[in-house]
């Protein structure tokens, strides 16, 4: 029966889902495609970079090739090239005829040889097999029979169709022996012919080589042909991950991967396999100027790469960033919160160097870092913050003293042991045993002797360290003697307003704190009297101040060094008598300090022991307990060996330097208020004043700041951004403005803001005065902040593999150590030490004048090659080179600038000498070469040359004749023997300008003649038939120069009173 | 209102599931209930007409003249499942392309991250640590949850509601589930994700997660609160143990009574109750009361700063 | 019904996903403008103008201190009458000698050919002649030694490279060139400290040195605005602005004031 039609269709069975299924499946497919794209391009941006690079690079090469080709054409057209080419062609032609016939013979021989080589094996096989039979046969008769067979076999005949000259084939029958000999003959012949050919070519090839050299020497950049090769390789280059893969030095023969850097996948210009060092890619050259998304250039500092080969060092160890990441720029540069070693920002690139070169003070290729470290030292940051290597004399001192105790202990034990052994020996049963014991005693005794020696050295070292130990700031025990009372609070208020360039940072002190501090300092100051001084002559003082070299460190107004205080307002604060004493000898101390009793000794202590109240290098031991005393001011300012008169003149001049009348300073009665003293004492400790100053009762005070040696790798969470944390994370600067860099919640951001204003992170906090951040405001310029930030960023315990770190020994180490001393005493104030860095004096206006240029202290670039280390050591110890007359320079008495006495410790002197020798790669100890003595005739010749009118030696060089020496501009020849090294002296004579640009000593005194140098002026008659080398003659003469000789010379010289314009007039 | 902060949290790749959950769970609850209620209406209709009820096998789309009496799993069910599968795959694809798993910096044992959060599906447990002694929150509770879940089939004495959505026939089960899963588990995950900031402190949404934030909060054990503290000898160890035991016991009694009331509230419930063996019923009681203890303790902690109720040398609750 | 729900789920989930995917920051692009093009125009002799004038000296002329050459007998021999320093030489018409007058600014980027004929600096009787001279960049400067003694020729430039060459009597002439502009390079002899000369090196030929009448003339200047500077080794520099029309001849006067001048 038929069903009635349904009222409505079944919602399940009737409905079709094909629509949705279709749509969603399509979506699924789309997502699949997307996934594939993402896999191949989305996650591999470097592919895009590489293909872009390929285009740019090849078009650049095209251009380059054109240029180079032109250049080469020019050179090819040049005379020299043509000549060579001519020779070359000639050579080739010379070869041609001979060559062909040799070739022909070669060819024939080879063909013949081929035939015999085929034949030989069969023949040999046959014979040798028979011989074998013969050898192994039993019985005489059998042997005889076989013998005959062998003979038969050898007769052959062995038939071969040997090719002949006329290309015919000739049947030849060889016996076995003939065959062998013929074969050998042919082989020898073949070799002979080959060598003939090469001989034939020798000359042509030589010329060919010359041609190539001629071209490459005159052509800047690569040869066109090379460029062509590059082009083809650039065409064939395939888009792929380019990575540097560094293995560790194998341990147990298993090297492990220490580094994988894929930076070159995008920075593809740096891939040496693709872009050879001869090619330099700049954005301009590639035509992508201004684009910030074209990382295609070659490394901007190839010299640096020469020292740090990327194949060994990779990229990320220096630059930071995530060398493995390839999925995006941000990831690769590690500029996201999960990568702890992000790429250093451009202005802080040098930070990378610091990681391994923390112990180097001067890095030629890292100016920012070098500046930063110099500043760190100069501003005395290490007064509060420990930083390994910076001013660690106090630590060393403690270490040495420990060591001494150690050694003494061992020594005592040995003593006992010796005694015991001897007893045992005496009581021994047999002689042998006794001997054993005695020998043991002897051995221990030997040990003790060694220990005695080392103890003696350690003692000296600890003395030396006490001398090396300096403070950044002046000695505040002597405030009463040195300073105007009212000035102190004014200064504490804000040092920068009074002296903008000062090292002293501004402690954000409240009024009462200032009063307490000044009160304490004033009242704890020592009250001894220092001698009154008569007034001096300010005008002469000014002259002296500007010419003696003071300005290498000190400035007045704008001009002068920044190493030490700017003295523009000295007159307002200082006490004349004290300044005189200070200038006369800054190291002179009013009272010696005894580190053992921890107090300054007074005349009283000495009187008690019935000793005269004198202390100094000679008697530097404490009268009470015999401990080594601090007998010097802990300042780096050296003793310029000025006369009292000069000192007075300079002091009087300095006292005239004022801006406002010191009497206008507000009176400070509170400074005598004993009630304030205690508070002051506390504050001194609280603010760590003793880090930089000597303060009564705080001589042994430690540093109050955090250690910064590894500050760069401190976890970001440990840097206290305080209430600025969120702002930093959102790129809002403390002042509320937007940071140009965006988020600054990183080390860079922290350091920069902290250095700019240390109080920043107190912003918005509610704190008790004493809880506030203590770090004082250093008043830094932006570039200075940059430098310090760079240094701190790099100061991390490096994640870099051990094998990359710079841990020099020997000469490198000497150089490293030396720079610290050089910086400590500011040698570069007066001397030039780096070819690229002028000394401070060189930059002063006065010394721009050509005449004054000769008054500059000698540059020390390459001094190690010039100076005899032994002499150097004497000189550094006593630059006057004389015990009696100290008021002079040891060598260049005519210089107005004075080489001061630094009271170096033996260790410092050792380091300095080593430093200079190492810089010129001179081995130590120095063994002077034998200077062959002059024959009588040579001596006469040398004399003649010296005094000859054409030879101006004695016009500039000192002769020991006072009048002349005042105006001389070069040292006395007498000093040469101990002072100079002969080899250098000769180089110097030949071309001084090359060794020391701008020297007064002229070039071209000698000219080359054949294999010798001869004087270029008209020579005295005696030289006609002198075959020797003139420069060598002079050097030898110099190194055998004696006072008598000098007098003799002077006798022959025309008298020369100080000629007119000898005195340099300083241009105002 | 700190939108930046809010965005930071919600946009963190590892919080995506939770953000999604915020939308998805309510939606599905609503969707399921909607279907359940529809079914309930249908059931009512069917029960009204026993004739039809007998012949009727479709629980949804009640049978009409001319329809198949039954529809087969294939293709009618399978095709829908296929569709679902495709869509889910698509979503997962897009998700995995657009968001990579965040690989964080190397762990530094001297410096743990703050806040340190468990993976989202464990945040509930971590949140519980705030309210209970670790031993209970970390060991006991999780075990109970698992065991409880396993026990459900054996505790379920209700024969109805298999294979179709219904509310009326499974009120009790559904409510219990909603309470246990949504109110407790899910909400605690959400709290753990969006509310708990540095130092596991309570930050309302839109409040800045300030690492330097300081909050003063003293948590007291129950016996130190108000009147209790006056009870003599309560501060002795024994006193504490006894007091805690009593309070906890009291709670169980009360909660048990409450739940019993629920189990026997309606005619239907009573019928089910009747079908249960004693062991079943007690187990059910135990799990439900324990489950109920969680929110009670949470409130006690959040509102009255009660740390522990039962303080013993071995464990605290 | 059902379908719409499923789609809504998909959309919701998608929204959540999309909302959550963070874009990584991109490095900002920096565009640089092109450098301004150089303006060079040849000089048309027809319109060439001239600046001339003299350098007046105010105040009392300082005493010229005598040069004592005793250190160099050969030179003493060469001089009948005493030799005086040429630092400040005031002519009878109270004008100043040895003043180097040149066009400092106003020529734009015009380039001028380097003259083929060399300038000459002779050392005669231990005195440089001329005392002050001007040459053009890369123009050859021939240095002669007509003395029976050894000199060394030592220019002390700032912008150019420094050299210092010994010249024995009767030595080959030396040829120096200076590739960079510099006003003025002092030249000295280390052997004879009193010897001094100054060489001005310019990129253009518009310079003059005042002579016995203290006058100077700069010819062939294209019309335009110029800064003209007068340089003296002791009294430093002064400058003047002049505006030249075509063919115009302007007369200007520089003046230096010595000690006691008002």
């Amino acid at each position: 029966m038929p069903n009635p039609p349904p009222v409505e269709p079944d919602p399940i069975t009737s409905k079709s889902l094909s629509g949705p299924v279709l749509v969603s499946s399509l979506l699924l497919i789309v997502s699949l495609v997307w996934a594939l794209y993402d896999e191949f391009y989305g996650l591999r941006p470097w592919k895009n970079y590489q293909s872009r690079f390929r285009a740019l690079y090849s078009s650049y090469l095209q251009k380059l090739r054109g240029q180079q080709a032109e250049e080469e054409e020019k050179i090819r057209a040049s005379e020299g090239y043509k000549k060579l080419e001519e020779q070359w062609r000639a050579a080739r032609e010379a070869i041609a005829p001979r060559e062909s016939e040799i070739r022909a013979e070669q060819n024939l021989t080879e063909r013949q040889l081929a035939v015999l080589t085929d034949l030989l094996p069969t023949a040999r096989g046959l014979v040798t097999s028979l011989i074998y039979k013969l050898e192994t046969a039993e019985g005489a008769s059998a042997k005889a029979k076989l013998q005959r067979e062998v003979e038969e076999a050898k007769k052959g005949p062995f038939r071969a169709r040997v090719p002949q000259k006329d290309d015919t084939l000739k049947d030849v029958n060889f016996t076995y022996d003939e065959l062998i000999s013929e074969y050998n003959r042919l082989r020898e012949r073949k070799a002979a012919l080959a060598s003939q050919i090469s001989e034939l070519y020798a000359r042509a090839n030589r010329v060919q080589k010359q041609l190539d050299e001629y071209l490459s020497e005159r052509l800047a950049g690569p040869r066109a042909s090379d460029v062509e090769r590059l082009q083809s390789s650039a065409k064939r280059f395939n888009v792929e991950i380019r990575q540097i893969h560094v293995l560790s030095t194998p341990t147990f023969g298993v090297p492990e991967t220490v580094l994988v850097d894929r930076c070159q996948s995008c920075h593809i210009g740096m891939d040496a396999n693709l872009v050879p060092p001869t090619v330099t890619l700049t954005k301009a050259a590639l035509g992508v100027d201004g684009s910030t998304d074209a990382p295609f250039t070659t490394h901007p500092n190839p010299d640096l790469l020469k020292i740090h080969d990327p194949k060994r060092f990779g990229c990320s160890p220096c630059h930071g960033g995530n060398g493995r990441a390839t999925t995006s720029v941000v990831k690769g540069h590690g500029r996201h919160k999960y990568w702890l070693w992000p790429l250093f920002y451009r202005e802080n690139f040098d930070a990378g160097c610091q990681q391994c070169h923390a112990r180097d003070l001067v890095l030629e290729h890292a100016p920012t870092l070098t500046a930063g470290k110099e500043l760190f030292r100069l501003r005395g940051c290490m007064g509060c913050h420990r930083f390994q290597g910076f001013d660690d004399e106090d630590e060393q001192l403690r270490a040495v003293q420990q060591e001494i105790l150690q050694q003494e202990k061992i020594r005592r034990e040995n003593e006992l042991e010796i005694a015991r052994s001897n007893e045992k020996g005496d009581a021994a049963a047999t002689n042998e045993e006794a001997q054993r014991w005695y020998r043991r005693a002897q051995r221990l005794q030997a040990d003790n002797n060694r220990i005695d020696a080392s103890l003696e050295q350690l003692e000296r070292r600890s003395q030396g360290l006490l001398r090396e130990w300096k403070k950044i700031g002046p000695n505040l025990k002597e405030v009463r003697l040195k300073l105007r009372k009212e000035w102190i609070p004014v200064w504490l208020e804000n040092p920068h307003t009074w002296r903008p360039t000062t090292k002293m940072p501004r402690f954000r002190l409240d009024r009462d704190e200032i009063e307490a501090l000044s009160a304490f300092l004033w009242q704890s100051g020592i009250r001894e009297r220092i001698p009154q001084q008569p007034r001096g002559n300010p005008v002469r003082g000014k002259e002296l101040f500007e010419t003696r070299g003071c300005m290498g460190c000190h400035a007045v107004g704008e001009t002068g060094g920044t190493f030490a205080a700017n003295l523009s307002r000295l007159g307002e604060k200082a006490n004349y008598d004290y300044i005189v004493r200070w200038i006369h000898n800054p190291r002179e101390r009013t009272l010696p300090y005894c580190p053992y009793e921890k107090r300054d000794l007074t005349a009283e202590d000495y009187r008690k022991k019935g000793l005269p109240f004198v202390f100094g290098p000679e008697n530097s031991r404490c009268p009470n307990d015999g401990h080594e005393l601090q007998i010097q001011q802990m300042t780096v300012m050296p003793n310029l060996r000025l006369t009292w008169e000069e000192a007075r003149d300079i002091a009087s001049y300095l006292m005239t330097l004022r801006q406002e009348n010191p009497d206008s300073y507000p009176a400070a009665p509170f400074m005598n208020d004993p009630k304030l003293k205690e508070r002051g004492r506390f504050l001194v400790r609280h603010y760590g004043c003793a880090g930089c100053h000597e303060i009564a009762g705080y001589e042994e005070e430690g540093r109050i700041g955090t250690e910064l040696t590894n500050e760069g790798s401190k976890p970001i969470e440990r840097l206290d951004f305080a209430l600025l944390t969120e702002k930093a994370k959102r790129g809002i600067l403390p002042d509320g403005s937007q940071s140009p860099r965006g988020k600054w919640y990183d080390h860079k951001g922290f350091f920069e803001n902290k250095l700019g204003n240390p109080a920043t992170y107190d912003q918005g906090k509610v704190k008790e005065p004493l809880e506030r951040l203590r770090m004082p405001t250093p008043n830094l310029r932006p570039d200075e902040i940059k430098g310090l930030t760079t240094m701190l960023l790099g100061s991390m315990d490096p994640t870099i593999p051990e094998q990359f770190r710079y841990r020099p020994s020997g000469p490198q180490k000497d150089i490293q150590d030396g720079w610290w001393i050089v910086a400590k005493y500011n040698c570069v104030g007066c001397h030039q030490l780096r070819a690229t860095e002028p000394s401070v004096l060189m930059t002063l206006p006065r010394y721009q004048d050509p005449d004054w240029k000769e008054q500059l202290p000698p540059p020390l670039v390459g001094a190690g090659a010039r100076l005899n280390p032994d002499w150097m050591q004497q000189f550094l110890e006593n630059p006057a080179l004389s015990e009696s007359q100290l008021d002079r320079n040891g060598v260049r008495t005519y210089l107005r600038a004075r080489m001061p006495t630094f009271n170096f410790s033996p260790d410092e002197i050792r380091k300095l000498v080593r430093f200079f020798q190492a810089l010129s790669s001179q081995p130590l100890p120095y063994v002077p070469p034998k200077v062959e003595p002059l024959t009588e005739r040579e001596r006469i010749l040398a004399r003649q040359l010296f005094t000859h009118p054409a030879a101006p030696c004695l016009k500039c060089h000192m002769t020991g004749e006072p009048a002349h020496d005042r105006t001389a501009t070069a040292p006395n020849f007498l000093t040469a023997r101990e002072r100079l090294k002969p080899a250098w002296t000769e180089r110097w004579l030949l071309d001084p300008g090359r060794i020391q640009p701008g020297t007064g000593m002229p070039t071209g005194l000698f000219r080359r003649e054949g294999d010798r140098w001869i004087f270029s002026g008209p020579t005295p008659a005696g030289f006609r038939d002198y075959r020797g080398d003139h420069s060598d003659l002079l050097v030898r003469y110099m190194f055998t120069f004696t006072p008598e000789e000098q007098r003799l010379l002077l006798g022959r010289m025309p008298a020369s009173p100080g000629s007119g314009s000898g005195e340099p007039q300083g241009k105002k | 209102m700190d939108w930046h902060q809010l965005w930071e949290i919600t946009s963190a790749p590892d919080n995506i599931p939770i953000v999604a959950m915020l939308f998805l769970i309510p939606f599905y609850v609503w969707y399921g209930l909607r279907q359940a209620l529809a079914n309930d209406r249908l059931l009512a209709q069917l029960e009204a007409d026993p004739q039809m009820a007998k012949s009727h096998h479709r629980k949804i789309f009640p049978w009409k003249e001319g329809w198949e009496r039954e529809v087969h799993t294939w293709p009618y069910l399978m095709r829908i499942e296929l569709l679902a599968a495709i869509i889910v795959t698509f979503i997962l694809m897009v998700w995995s392309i657009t968001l990579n798993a965040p690989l964080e910096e190397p762990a530094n044992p001297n410096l743990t991250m703050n806040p340190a959060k468990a993976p989202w599906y464990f945040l509930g447990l971590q949140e519980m640590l705030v309210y209970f002694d670790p031993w209970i929150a970390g060991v006991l509770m999780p075990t109970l949850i698992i065991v409880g879940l396993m026990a459900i089939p054996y505790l379920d004495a209700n024969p109805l509601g298999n294979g179709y959505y219904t509310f009326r026939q499974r009120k009790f089960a559904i409510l219990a589930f909603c309470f246990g899963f949504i109110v407790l588990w899910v909400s605690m995950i959400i709290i753990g994700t969006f509310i708990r900031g540095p130092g596991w402190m309570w930050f309302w949404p839109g409040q800045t997660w300030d690492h330097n934030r300081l909050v003063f909060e003293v948590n007291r054990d129950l016996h130190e609160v108000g009147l209790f503290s006056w009870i003599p000898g309560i501060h002795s160890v024994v006193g504490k143990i006894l007091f805690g035991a009593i309070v906890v016991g009291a709670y169980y009694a009360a909660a048990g009574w409450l739940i019993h009331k629920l189990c026997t509230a309606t005619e239907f419930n009573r019928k089910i109750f009747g079908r249960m063996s004693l062991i079943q019923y007690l187990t059910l009681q135990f799990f439900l009361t324990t489950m109920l203890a969680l929110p009670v303790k949470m409130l006690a902690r959040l509102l009255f700063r009660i740390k522990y109720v039962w303080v013993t040398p071995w464990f605290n609750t | 019904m059902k379908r719409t729900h499923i789609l809504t789920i998909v959309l919701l989930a998608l929204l959540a996903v999309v909302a959550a995917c963070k874009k990584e920051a991109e490095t900002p692009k920096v565009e640089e403008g092109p450098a301004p093009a150089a303006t060079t125009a040849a000089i048309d002799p027809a319109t060439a103008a001239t600046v001339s004038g003299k350098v007046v000296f105010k105040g009392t002329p300082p005493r010229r201190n005598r040069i004592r050459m005793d250190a160099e007998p050969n030179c003493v021999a060469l001089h009948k009458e005493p030799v005086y320093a040429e630092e400040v030489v005031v002519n009878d018409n109270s004008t100043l000698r040895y003043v180097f007058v040149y066009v400092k600014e106003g020529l734009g980027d015009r380039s001028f050919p380097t003259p083929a004929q060399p300038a000459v600096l002779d050392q005669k009787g231990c005195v440089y002649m001329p005392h002050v001279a001007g040459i053009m960049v890369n123009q050859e400067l021939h240095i002669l030694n007509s003395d029976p003694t050894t000199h060394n020729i030592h220019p002390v430039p700032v912008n150019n490279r420094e050299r210092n060459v010994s010249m024995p009597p009767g030595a080959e002439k030396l040829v120096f060139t200076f590739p960079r502009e510099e006003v003025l390079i002092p030249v000295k002899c280390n052997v004879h400290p009193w010897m001094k000369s100054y060489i001005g090196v310019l990129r253009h030929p518009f310079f003059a040195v005042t002579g016995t009448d203290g006058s100077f003339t700069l010819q062939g200047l294209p019309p335009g605005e110029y800064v003209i500077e007068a340089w003296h080794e002791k009294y430093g520099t002064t400058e003047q602005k002049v505006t030249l029309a075509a063919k115009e001849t302007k007369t200007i006067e520089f003046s230096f004031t010595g000690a006691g001048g008002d």
Side-chain angles (χ1 to χ4, degrees), chain A residues 290 851 854 950 955 999-1000 1003, chain C residues 30 72 150 164 166 188 190 196:
Chain A
D851 292 333
E854 282 161 7
K955 293 221 179 66
T999 174
T1003 302
Chain C
V30 185
E72 192 51 78
T150 300
N164 173 8
S166 163
K188 63 179 289 182
N190 295 72
K196 268 280 166 47

Side-chain angles (χ1 to χ4, degrees), chain B residues 99-273:
Chain B
L99 295 178
N100 302 325
L103 181 59
E104 304 194 349
E105 71 267 25
N108 175 356
N110 315 327
L111 187 83
T112 49
M113 62 199 296
N114 178 18
K117 293 193 177 183
W120 64 272
Y121 41 82
F122 277 151
L123 275 176
L125 290 178
Q126 195 179 2
E127 177 64 13
M128 271 205 266
L129 284 168
V130 178
Y131 310 104
F132 293 97
D133 174 299
W135 187 78
I136 297 196
V139 182
L140 195 59
M141 288 286 196
T143 326
L144 285 183
I145 291 170
I146 293 162
V147 176
L149 289 173
M150 292 193 303
I152 289 175
Y154 306 101
L155 301 180
D156 180 13
N158 180 350
L160 299 176
N162 296 331
Y164 57 93
Y165 292 94
T166 170
F167 181 63
R168 208 182 68 198
Q169 297 176 346
R170 299 195 74 87
K171 275 211 187 73
F172 188 83
I174 291 177
L175 290 176
F177 167 80
C178 287
F179 179 71
F181 179 66
I182 298 170
V183 179
L184 297 185
W185 192 245
V186 175
S187 58
M188 280 205 302
I189 287 178
I190 288 168
I191 291 174
T193 314
F194 298 106
I195 306 296
R196 292 301 187 176
W200 209 255
M201 274 188 279
W202 189 282
F203 291 84
W204 292 108
Q207 211 174 342
T208 309
W209 286 13
D210 182 355
H211 282 255
N212 308 315
R213 182 188 182 204
L214 296 172
V215 191
F216 179 74
E217 215 176 38
V218 186
N219 298 323
R220 313 152 299 174
D221 296 342
L222 184 62
H223 63 84
E224 297 163 343
V225 180
L227 290 174
F228 298 126
S229 53
W230 297 96
I231 304 170
I234 192 158
H235 297 287
S236 70
V237 176
V238 183
K240 283 189 221 158
I241 297 179
L242 287 177
F243 173 77
I246 292 163
V247 177
V248 172
Y251 160 77
Y252 270 96
W257 176 79
L258 179 73
I259 287 167
H260 184 74
K261 276 269 157 279
L262 286 176
C263 293
T264 55
T266 65
E267 181 52 34
F268 182 80
N269 287 12
R270 275 193 292 280
K271 209 182 287 166
I272 305 300
F273 178 58

Side-chain angles (χ1 to χ4, degrees), chain C residues 86 89 96-100 131-132 209-211 231-233:
Chain C
E86 290 172 310
V89 185
L96 196 54
R97 201 185 298 177
Y98 300 134
V99 177
F100 186 74
H131 178 59
V132 176
V209 180
T210 56
W231 172 98
H232 184 271
E233 59 178 292

Side-chain angles (χ1 to χ4, degrees), chain A residues 1065, chain C residues 62-67 83-87:
Chain A
Q1065 301 90 355
Chain C
R63 234 187 75 264
R64 294 176 61 184
N65 47 358
R66 168 156 188 210
I67 296 176
V83 187
Y84 293 96
E86 290 172 310
E87 193 180 15

